[in-house]
Each structure stands twice: as structure tokens, then as C-alpha cells.
């Protein structure tokens, strides 16, 4: 990978970022998906939070404001999770930060928006999958630089997925994958790791070809794991499951911010991103979805298997100058040590299922962890 950037390349400060989190709505008695997102959004409006309706009726999305200081996000993330949970509770639902539902959703539960109905008509049963992800937007004004940053980020996508895997259970059983969400999302024809792009023109030609062939209906359906936002001056990293806890979301956002900063510094120094083979990268992402943080990871540079923990530590080493310049190195390493010790979302779900043998117990633990790190006093005051 690229040599470490020198500290003076980060004097301009950390790039801006914002976070979008998608959540599952469940019936608190049965644990089955609850198709009531419009009602939850209306209740959220009364509480002062604007919630986005997702493709299926058992999902809602929150978003933070744009800022450059990662620590400002914690209160926003706690508040948005708490307010959304309160809105869900008011209409008889439970909010859970998990990548896929524990039981299959009802069929024909597409949100009643014209765009979503068009998608259902074009793509059929693909649209019935419920998948909750986390999207990190990092501010990059220049589109040519954005494309180069995407190239630099491609090799690190599998590591980010393994770190945040949070969807091992579907249809009431362990799927054998730490991120079943990522596997399901792969059914969309515009999903997966992006190609290596020679220029912004190359990127735009690829999008135009997908539009021309009907692979996408509009630019917002470019579902690559990292892309240029179609409506904001940002690079958007969207490979991750919604993390189980606020702290894990913050760690993800910090690492992504540091990756973008490191990539930008490398571009300034004239370094070219490694042109990782598309199929090799796809294989590495599949391995990350299967093993998560509790298994092995395919290093796309050496084409050999590492432990997932080793892969994460290589990522931290790669972005250490940026983390240090942004004042986040100690916080990130402490948070990662905690995840290595206690497990991420997928590991905790599987541990709970093995210990109790009841999906209901897993659901209860996931609901609790949705607010882990936010004190009960903080949540109750919102």
C-alpha cells in the first residue's frame, strides 16, 4: 500500500463528514419486521427528528449534520437513535441496529413512494430484501480527486466490512455469514466494489452505461461500496452494516475520515492507487462478509489470508499519521481493542444465540446495544 503520509500534509485539518444510519423496525412481541415506517416518521416529526423512509416499510434512516470533528457526532448519534426509538415506541414498534431482520419480512411491503414503486416494477423480488447499512459521507469538493480517492479506498473495503459485520441471523437461524446483508445486497446489479477508474469521465461513462441499459433507474441507484454522492460534494463509503453500537459507528466514521485524508495526501504526493483486480477485490469482500471479524481476511496486495484482526491493524497502521493529526489515534485504538475483546455485532449475536438458543434473546440484546455507550440518563432526557 501507499507509504505513510507526512504530518505536514494534514495541516489543513480533517475533512468534513456526516453519517447516515438505517434501522430495522420490529414488532416488540414477535421480533418480526414491522411495516410502519411512515407512522414512525410522523411520530419522529412530532419529536423534532426528520426520518427518511427506506425502500421497505420496516426501515427508517437517520442522518447527522455535516462537521469536521468526529467527537461532535457522538451526541448526535445517541440523540438520533433515542428519538427514533421513541418515535417507534409511540406506534408500537421496536428500533434495532442490525443489518438484516431476524425473520423474513412480509411480501409486497415496499414503501409507498413513486420511486420505490418504479424500482419494484423494474427489479422484482430483489426489492423485497431488508438491508440496513451505514453510509459515511466525507467532503471532497473536486470530482477528479474524488475518483482518485475512491481508487485508493478500494483495497480497504473488505476490512471495513469485516469490522462492522452485524447481520449473521436471518429467517430465525444463523446464515453462516457475519454480514448476510452484504450477500443480499449483492443481488443488485449495480452493487459491489467499484471498478478502478482512470478519470472522472471514466466514472461518468460507467454510470451512463448503467442508465442506458436499465441496470439503474437514476444515479442514486449506483450502489457501489464506495461512490461519489449524486447530490453532495462527498465521497460516500457504504459497504458497512449499520454498526451495533454508537461507539462502533464512531470508530467506522473516524477510520473512513482518516482513509480519505490519507488518500488525499497520497494524491498530493503524486502516488497512484494500486489497481487491484476487480474479481480479487470481490472475492475479498465475500470473504469479509462470511468471516467478519472472527475469521480470516484476504489481503489484496499480497493475495494471502490474514486474520481479520491483523487486517484491521494494518488499516490502522496505514492511517496512523492522519489519526494522529486529527487527534483520534488513542480513541480509535482503545475502541478497537474493546471490539477485539468483546466482539462486534455479528460475534455478539452468535454468542448470545449459542448461549440462550433463542432468537428472542438475541433481539433483546441487539435492542439494548443500540444504545450502548449512551447513558440511560442521556437517553431518558431526550
Amino acid at each position: 500500500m501507499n507509504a505513510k503520509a507526512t504530518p505536514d500534509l494534514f495541516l489543513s485539518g480533517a475533512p468534513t463528514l456526516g453519517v447516515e444510519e438505517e434501522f430495522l423496525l420490529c414488532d416488540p412481541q414477535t421480533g418480526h419486521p414491522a411495516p410502519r415506517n411512515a407512522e414512525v416518521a410522523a411520530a419522529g416529526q412530532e419529536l423534532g427528528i426528520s426520518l427518511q423512509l427506506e425502500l421497505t416499510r420496516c426501515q427508517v434512516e437517520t442522518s447527522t449534520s455535516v462537521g469536521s470533528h468526529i467527537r461532535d457526532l457522538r451526541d448526535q448519534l445517541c440523540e438520533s437513535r433515542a428519538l427514533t426509538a421513541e418515535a417507534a415506541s409511540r406506534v408500537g414498534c421496536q428500533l434495532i441496529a442490525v443489518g438484516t431482520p431476524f425473520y423474513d419480512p412480509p411480501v409486497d411491503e415496499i414503501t409507498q413512494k413513486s420511486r420505490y414503486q418504479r424500482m419494484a416494477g423494474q427489479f422484482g423480488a430483489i426489492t423485497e430484501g431488508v438491508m440496513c447499512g451505514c453510509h459515511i459521507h466525507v467532503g471532497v469538493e473536486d470530482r477528479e480527486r474524488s475518483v482518485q480517492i475512491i481508487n485508493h479506498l478500494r483495497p480497504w473495503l473488505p476490512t471495513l466490512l469485516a469490522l462492522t459485520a452485524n447481520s449473521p441471523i436471518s429467517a430465525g437461524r444463523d446464515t453462516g455469514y457475519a454480514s448476510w446483508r452484504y450477500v443480499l445486497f449483492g443481488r443488485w446489479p449495480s452493487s459491489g466494489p467499484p471498478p478502478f477508474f482512470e478519470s472522472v469521465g471514466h466514472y461518468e461513462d460507467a454510470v451512463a452505461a448503467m442508465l442506458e441499459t436499465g441496470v439503474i433507474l437514476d444515479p442514486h441507484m449506483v450502489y457501489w461500496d464506495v461512490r461519489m454522492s449524486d447530490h453532495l460534494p462527498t465521497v460516500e463509503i457504504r459497504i458497512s452494516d449499520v454498526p451495533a453500537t454508537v461507539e462502533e459507528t464512531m470508530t467506522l466514521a473516524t477510520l473512513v475520515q482518516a482513509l480519505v485524508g490519507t488518500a488525499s495526501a497520497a494524491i498530493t504526493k503524486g502516488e497512484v492507487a494500486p489497481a487491484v483486480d476487480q474479481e480479487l477485490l470481490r472475492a475479498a469482500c465475500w470473504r469479509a462478509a462470511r468471516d467478519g471479524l472472527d475469521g480470516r481476511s484476504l489481503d489484496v496486495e499480497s493475495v494471502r489470508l490474514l486474520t481479520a484482526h491483523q487486517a484491521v491493524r494494518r488499516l490502522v497502521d496505514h492511517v496512523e499519521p492522519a489519526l494522529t493529526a486529527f487527534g483520534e489515534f488513542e480513541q480509535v485504538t482503545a475502541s478497537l481493542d474493546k471490539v477485539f475483546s468483546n466482539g462486534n455485532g455479528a460475534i455478539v449475536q452468535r454468542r448470545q444465540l449459542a448461549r440462550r438458543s433463542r432468537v428472542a434473546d438475541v433481539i433483546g440484546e441487539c435492542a439494548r446495544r443500540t444504545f450502548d455507550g449512551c447513558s440511560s440518563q442521556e437517553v431518558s432526557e431526550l
Side-chain angles (χ1 to χ4, degrees), residues 173-192:
R173 64 181 180 86
D174 191 323
T175 62
Y177 287 82
S179 177
W180 185 237
R181 179 203 65 87
Y182 190 77
V183 176
L184 290 179
F185 207 74
R187 298 180 301 181
W188 287 96
S190 58
S191 65

Side-chain angles (χ1 to χ4, degrees), residues 88-268:
S89 178
R90 289 188 179 189
V91 299
C93 298
Q94 185 175 43
L95 186 79
I96 302 181
V98 66
T100 53
F102 302 94
Y103 298 104
D104 290 336
V107 296
D108 299 325
E109 289 294 350
I110 304 302
T111 296
Q112 294 298 313
K113 292 177 66 173
S114 60
R115 178 173 178 270
Y116 292 153
Q117 294 298 314
R118 286 177 58 224
M119 289 170 63
Q122 176 79 356
F123 297 99
I126 290 178
T127 58
E128 296 174 1
V130 179
M131 296 156 283
C132 297
C134 179
H135 308 154
I136 312 296
H137 287 263
V138 184
V140 183
E141 293 289 339
D142 181 77
R143 287 174 61 81
E144 193 66 62
R145 179 169 285 252
S146 292
V147 169
Q148 295 181 58
I149 286 172
I150 288 171
N151 288 339
H152 279 273
L153 264 56
R154 292 173 73 245
W156 302 104
L157 293 171
T159 306
L160 295 175
L161 175 60
L163 180 62
T164 58
N166 186 30
S167 52
I169 299 172
S170 180
R173 64 181 180 86
D174 191 323
T175 62
Y177 287 82
S179 177
W180 185 237
R181 179 203 65 87
Y182 190 77
V183 176
L184 290 179
F185 207 74
R187 298 180 301 181
W188 287 96
S190 58
S191 65
F196 184 94
F197 293 110
E198 299 295 337
S199 65
V200 69
H202 184 191
Y203 183 103
E204 291 171 347
D205 286 346
V207 174
M210 289 193 289
L211 283 166
E212 177 67 25
T213 57
V215 168
I216 58 176
L217 299 181
D218 55 50
H220 197 62
M221 284 189 67
V222 175
Y223 290 149
W224 289 321
D225 298 331
V226 55
R227 69 181 186 184
M228 287 193 290
S229 171
D230 67 312
H231 64 288
L232 297 169
T234 64
V235 169
E236 180 185 359
I237 293 81
R238 46 187 297 116
I239 193 170
S240 301
D241 289 4
V242 60
T245 67
V246 166
E247 183 171 1
E248 288 172 71
T249 297
M250 288 185 62
T251 300
L252 169 67
T254 307
L255 288 172
V256 167
Q257 185 184 45
L259 273 169
V260 172
T262 300
S264 187
I267 293 164
T268 297

Side-chain angles (χ1 to χ4, degrees), residues 267-280:
I267 293 164
T268 297
K269 293 168 63 179
E271 297 177 5
V272 178
V276 176
D277 178 78
Q278 181 78 351
E279 293 308 311
L280 179 64

